[in-house]
Amino acid sequence: MSPLLDATIAAVRPADPAVLAEAAAHQDRLTKPRGSLGVLEEVAVRLAGSAGVSPPPMPVPAALAIFAADHGVYVRGVSPWPQEVTGQMVANFLAGGAVANAFAAQMGASVTVVDVGVVGDLPPADGLLVRKVARGTADLSRGPAMTREQVVTALETGITVAADLLAAGARCLVAGDMGIANTTASAALICAFCGADPAVATGRGTGIDEETHTHKIDVVREALDVNRALCEAGPLDTLRALGGLEHAAIAGFVLAAAASRVPVILDGVIAGAAALAAAALAPAAVDHCVAGHRSAEPGHRLALDHLGLRPLVDLELRLGEGTGALLAHPLVCAAVRVMHDVATFDSAGVTDKEA
């Protein structure tokens, strides 16, 4: 593949089983009924196993990276939004006017926007990283979306962006996206990695009508058929056949977080599809992921089930940008804070129930 990608994959290690057991035992000694914090207890134990220490480090500060790219499949009429909206929304992110900016400000997260494949040229701006691999992908319904060189370069981009954010002090990464028609590519990836039917995995994205939705399902089916041989060649070829440049970059982002034993909070269906690719390349990467929320997109549920992840928030969101993951970040912090601050029965002098 490439030295950087190979080294990153090789550095991904599973959660430490001894630390998982230690963290679970610590949860049971805290001054609360066992299991009373539900999924938050699982999150805290998960982050301890990921970090290799219990209690795990507080996942602050958080850094959101929004990977933006365009898609050749747009020409098939799968989205009602014009393609130039991708670049326009990037400008909105940089001006601080998007929902992701509002949520990031509320959560105290930094925002970095990465142009990994926007068709148009973007003017220089604070917070923008121009890492353009190509001006959008090819039409995945007619053949592979990317060349092998492009998919590797996009993966490497995600790896280097994550490494730079971690070097700057981030202790939790948040994966976001922007790209008109990227739910079509996401549905195709989910079908390929999960063995799902396009009619089940393909959603309405930004709000298409029934006729367009039926057409979108057909386009996903065409993409799977025309790229069948390539998808059978392995996960890297599946990603290059059906994914977007932002999917590949997010997959690299996830791999780099996992290699550094730092948690990455996944957003919706785009990040979920990218995480499927990352997990196919390095199965232990899932141990370092947290599912921020469950998107209204039907394919996202399939992706999360395949990854074995439980979403923290279910608010019928379908915006992308990292918004659902940002909303989940305070819950992740609260789960870890319990491990640090809550007294044990012994230390507080509280009588535990009889075993």
Side-chain angles (χ1 to χ4, degrees):
M1 287 182 278
S2 79
L4 176 60
L5 181 56
D6 288 343
T8 303
I9 290 173
V12 176
R13 294 287 184 270
D16 187 314
V19 174
L20 287 171
E22 178 186 347
H26 182 72
Q27 279 281 354
D28 287 347
R29 293 195 301 272
L30 298 179
T31 48
K32 58 177 180 58
R34 289 173 178 82
S36 58
L37 291 181
V39 177
L40 293 184
E41 295 189 15
E42 296 177 16
V43 170
V45 171
R46 184 180 194 84
L47 264 64
S50 168
V53 61
S54 179
M58 285 298 298
V60 289
L64 166 65
I66 302 175
F67 294 92
D70 281 306
H71 294 257
V73 74
Y74 169 81
V75 301
R76 297 297 309 279
V78 292
S79 173
W81 294 85
Q83 192 170 61
E84 56 264 29
V85 168
T86 301
Q88 291 167 354
M89 279 302 300
V90 168
N92 194 27
F93 296 139
L94 297 171
V99 176
N101 299 105
F103 285 0
Q106 177 68 24
M107 312 311 166
S110 66
V111 179
T112 301
V113 184
V114 186
D115 172 9
V116 72
V118 179
V119 166
D121 290 319
L122 303 172
D126 291 340
L128 173 65
L129 299 178
V130 179
R131 302 288 187 269
K132 202 186 296 286
V133 177
R135 294 182 184 275
T137 55
D139 179 359
L140 58 86
S141 70
R142 305 303 191 202
M146 291 174 275
T147 66
R148 193 172 183 86
E149 180 181 4
Q150 286 171 341
V151 73
V152 169
T153 302
L155 281 158
E156 291 176 333
T157 297
I159 292 170
T160 56
V161 169
D164 289 346
L165 291 173
L166 294 174
R171 291 299 172 263
C172 179
L173 298 182
V174 181
D177 68 274
M178 180 62 219
I180 297 301
N182 63 8
T183 59
T184 301
S186 297
L189 285 171
I190 290 166
C191 288
F193 283 118
C194 300
D197 186 283
V200 176
T202 307
R204 295 182 181 271
T206 50
I208 55 178
D209 59 24
E210 186 65 34
E211 182 180 356
T212 306
H213 184 222
T214 300
H215 172 63
K216 184 177 177 181
I217 292 170
D218 290 340
V219 170
V220 171
R221 203 178 301 280
E222 290 175 32
L224 294 167
D225 288 342
V226 77
N227 289 294
R228 189 172 307 280
L230 198 55
C231 292
E232 291 172 353
L236 187 69
D237 285 313
T238 300
L239 179 59
R240 86 172 182 92
L242 302 173
L245 291 157
E246 77 272 45
H247 289 100
I250 293 172
F253 192 72
V254 169
L255 291 171
S260 296
R261 305 191 79 93
V262 170
V264 56
I265 305 179
L266 303 175
D267 193 44
V269 69
I270 286 82
L276 289 172
L281 291 166
V286 180
D287 291 355
H288 308 275
C289 295
V290 174
H293 79 121
R294 176 184 288 120
S295 167
E297 285 287 295
H300 193 218
R301 182 185 297 271
L302 298 173
L304 294 182
D305 288 348
H306 189 84
L307 293 166
L309 296 175
R310 294 180 63 176
L312 293 180
V313 176
D314 190 350
L315 298 174
E316 300 180 9
L317 305 178
R318 53 181 178 86
L319 177 58
E321 305 178 4
T323 49
L326 288 167
L327 287 175
H329 180 247
L331 296 176
V332 177
C333 291
V336 175
R337 178 69 66 186
V338 166
M339 295 283 281
H340 283 268
D341 292 359
V342 175
T344 63
F345 285 104
D346 288 343
S347 69
V350 176
T351 302
D352 195 0
K353 73 172 184 176
E354 293 182 5

